[in-house]
Amino acid sequence: MKKHNFSAGPCILPQSVLEKASRAVINFDNLDLSLIEISHRSKSFINVMERSQDLALEHLGLQNKGYKALFLQGGASLEFLMVAYNLLEKKAGYLDTGTWSDKAIKEAKLFGEVDVVASSKDTNYNQIPKDFTVPSGLDYFHLTSNNTIFGTQINNFPEVDCPLICDMSSDIFSRVLDFSKFDLIYAGAQKNMGPAGTTLIVVKEDILGKVSRVIPSMLDYKVHLSKDSMFNTPAVFPVYVSMLTLEWLKEMGGVANMEKNNNKKAALLYSEIDRNPLFKGFVANKEDRSKMNATFTLQNEEYKETFDTMWTAAGINGLGGHRSVGGYRASMYNALPIESVQILVDVMQELEKKVLEVK
Ligand SMILES: *Cc1c(COP(=O)(O)O)cnc(C)c1O
């Protein structure tokens, strides 16, 4: 039986998507050829790329608003530097909410001045900084909407008078936002969209072409836009699987419906974390809790071995916390059914019973 997969990334994808993808590896589009052995310039694959881009924009409500979608390679990590390469002339602002923001800041510093407007580093990133104002006149302001490692998520995005850039790797397509507030959104596919190997970039075209430096072709958003993500050979399989996931999302009622499911899953798990005396949440304020990645620990490490044996026996996978946080992290991406969350909650309750019996 399929495991209950709480892995943080790469992570769970819809079963129907995996099945379709596996068939396409053998025979794609009735061509009697594999998806991964045909030209990326064939009509069949160009359709895949176009459909993926259209679906991404459609799900974000950004069609016909001056935005384009790209499927590039190099992961979200390459976007840390591409954003700065393409947009940072003098000074950019960053909100530091975790390891990924910190890495983005490090890359940006190679290209210009960086103003870290606020940071929660002092408290090991267990909250989202709130009391800050973004200065005016920045080249752009960058934030990370969901902090995959620490389990925090931004709910209120600041007002800015410059382009707003967001790393949405781990919560894209998970909730409804006014995405037109953002000028560039990027997301590595492997958290909520597809396999590792491609990155979705959604960019408002008019913010580009303003820096004075020469940008190498492979790092230039304008080059990729002019070639519709086909400047070089795209990651054909990850793009195809992303397309299937975006189609699945549509069948499931789109982002709005997904948000409802994600709210239910998160409420189920967090209420158990709060109720069960054996556990405590990692995040300082409830309003900063991520609906995608719930971080928590045992109050007493003494029960670790028992709990680990129990959840493993229940068919749960990928519950270990990141090394910088410890404890546990339950990643509840779009494709994770609420039944899996219920299994985890059941195991937490069984542990409580067991501990009470011993006492
Ligand atoms: C996983 C992750 C990254 C890094 O993605 P790669 O594709 O491995 O480069 C960046 N930002 C966030 C928020 C992530 O969750």
Side-chain angles (χ1 to χ4, degrees), residues 207-221:
I207 66 166
L208 300 174
K210 296 188 176 157
V211 289
S212 55
R213 73 176 61 85
V214 175
I215 305 172
S217 309
M218 271 296 280
L219 301 178
D220 189 341
Y221 290 125

Side-chain angles (χ1 to χ4, degrees), residues 3-23:
K3 294 220 167 131
H4 301 287
N5 191 1
F6 288 88
S7 183
C11 62
I12 188 165
L13 289 171
Q15 196 63 20
S16 61
V17 165
L18 297 180
E19 278 157 18
K20 280 182 199 161
S22 70
R23 287 198 292 275

Side-chain angles (χ1 to χ4, degrees), residues 74-78 80 100 144 146 148 167 169-170 188 190-191:
S77 299
L78 185 63
F80 297 161
W100 300 118
T144 313
N146 183 70
T148 327
D167 174 0
S169 291
S170 53
Q190 72 274 18
K191 307 269 168 47

Side-chain angles (χ1 to χ4, degrees), residues 4-192:
H4 301 287
N5 191 1
F6 288 88
S7 183
C11 62
I12 188 165
L13 289 171
Q15 196 63 20
S16 61
V17 165
L18 297 180
E19 278 157 18
K20 280 182 199 161
S22 70
R23 287 198 292 275
V25 169
I26 302 299
N27 182 1
F28 175 58
D29 222 9
N30 296 319
L31 295 172
D32 293 321
L33 290 166
S34 168
L35 167 75
I36 54 178
E37 61 179 8
I38 59 166
S39 169
H40 58 293
R41 307 215 180 268
S42 62
K43 186 82 193 98
S44 293
F45 187 76
I46 289 174
N47 286 342
V48 168
M49 181 60 92
E50 285 175 354
R51 178 128 176 87
S52 308
Q53 292 169 344
D54 287 348
L55 281 167
L57 292 175
E58 184 184 330
H59 283 309
L60 299 174
L62 292 177
Q63 281 169 315
N64 307 315
K65 289 187 178 164
Y67 290 83
K68 284 263 169 73
L70 292 167
F71 283 87
L72 304 183
Q73 300 179 54
S77 299
L78 185 63
E79 300 315 304
F80 297 161
L81 80 95
M82 269 178 80
V83 163
Y85 222 133
N86 285 264
L87 300 167
L88 178 47
E89 181 78 14
K90 284 204 175 77
K91 191 174 181 181
Y94 278 72
L95 185 64
D96 179 23
T97 53
T99 308
W100 300 118
S101 313
D102 194 50
K103 289 190 174 183
I105 289 165
K106 184 169 169 250
E107 298 305 305
K109 282 180 175 166
L110 300 171
F111 300 94
E113 205 182 320
V114 172
D115 181 355
V116 180
V117 171
S119 170
S120 50
K121 199 173 199 161
D122 288 353
T123 59
N124 197 24
Y125 298 117
N126 71 349
Q127 58 186 315
I128 300 290
K130 306 230 173 53
D131 294 323
F132 64 89
T133 40
V134 180
S136 62
L138 296 170
D139 292 331
Y140 62 85
F141 186 65
H142 178 285
L143 24 79
T144 313
S145 54
N146 183 70
N147 300 283
T148 327
I149 293 175
F150 302 92
T152 61
Q153 192 169 22
I154 298 178
N155 287 306
N156 294 303
F157 292 88
E159 294 302 321
V160 296
D161 67 359
C162 60
L164 190 60
I165 315 287
C166 194
D167 174 0
M168 291 195 191
S169 291
S170 53
D171 68 352
I172 191 147
F173 307 125
S174 74
R175 57 173 171 171
V176 177
L177 291 175
D178 176 7
F179 293 100
S180 68
K181 275 186 139 190
F182 303 93
D183 298 88
L184 190 151
I185 295 166
Y186 62 90
Q190 72 274 18
K191 307 269 168 47
N192 219 6

